[in-house]
Amino acid sequence: MAPTNRIGIVFNPSKSERGELERAIADATDLPVTWHETSVDDPGVAATREALEARADLVIAAGGDGTVRAVCEHLAESGADVELGIVPLGTGNLLARNLGVPLGSIRAAVTRALTGEPRTIDAAWAETDRTRHAFVVMAGFGIDAHMITETDDDLKSRAGWLAYVESLGRALSASDVVELTLTVGEESPETHHAHTLIVGNCGTLQGGITLLPDADPSDGALDLIVLDASDASGWADTVKNVVWDNGVGRIFRKSDRAASSQSVTHAQLTSLDIELEEPRVFEVDGDDVGEVTRVRISVQPEAIRVR
């Protein structure tokens, strides 16, 4: 681990924990610290740039998934020679969960950020006709995206990740099957009919649910899941695939790769082109980037060093 000389805190001011975070930082280190607030229009890219301009060699992202994603985006794009710490203050905190960063304790997360051994992880990019965004956990459309856009904000603030369960019924009704063409790397395009597509750099969701069992944020590849269940039998097959085939039952299988089924397709890739017959809401690490008909996904190996 490289020595830390200056810390930059990228902080979401909508969070109420700044005072506790300031005390935890002050109690843990005497190093110079600069603070850089995010905004509604810019969840962290500009603030990260400011932290680097202030010569931070450790950038701590203090906020939810949107803040962490934006900080990672600028670090990956700039190639800055700095390390990342995470103080999870959001609802999902998915990168923190997947990397074992302490949840529910600001002091424990600060200690990890200051003293943890860095791990190099990949970043992924989703490029549409209008935008280009990095993600470090998951991106896609369908149930995953609609669970974000359909979740009640007041309930989310009171009930945390359990609010997503409340939104699932509305998400299911909003996620109609659509025709799409997928091109993996240099392979020939394939036509699918699906209501959900998710590409992941990490595989674990809230509640310990593992959606992408082969996902490893440091393997230089991304994992794909496509769901096309359209009736009760299809959903039963989907649940069996996630819970049994790629969960408990995996212990008894000889293959070490995720198993596909009638309603679930798994694949691993480094690039993917998606063309949709109809526009669908697309999300990156929980951020809604609007409706799209065309997306190119790619991986940037060893993009970020995170503690």
Side-chain angles (χ1 to χ4, degrees), residues 114-145:
L114 294 176
T115 64
E117 287 295 323
R119 172 184 179 181
T120 301
I121 67 170
D122 309 324
W125 292 89
E127 187 171 359
T128 73
D129 292 336
R130 302 181 306 277
T131 63
R132 181 174 182 263
H133 293 289
F135 63 95
V136 286
V137 183
M138 296 179 190
F141 70 87
I143 291 176
D144 186 50

Side-chain angles (χ1 to χ4, degrees), residues 1 5 15 22 57 80 87 92 103 126 133 164 175 186 189 194 201 211 217 221:
M1 182 173 66
N5 298 304
K15 306 300 180 183
E22 288 179 334
D57 45 27
V87 177
L103 303 176
H133 293 289
Y164 292 119
S175 299
E186 301 300 321
N201 191 39
L211 186 65

Side-chain angles (χ1 to χ4, degrees), residues 60 147 242 248 301:
I60 296 179
M147 283 180 70
V242 173
V248 178

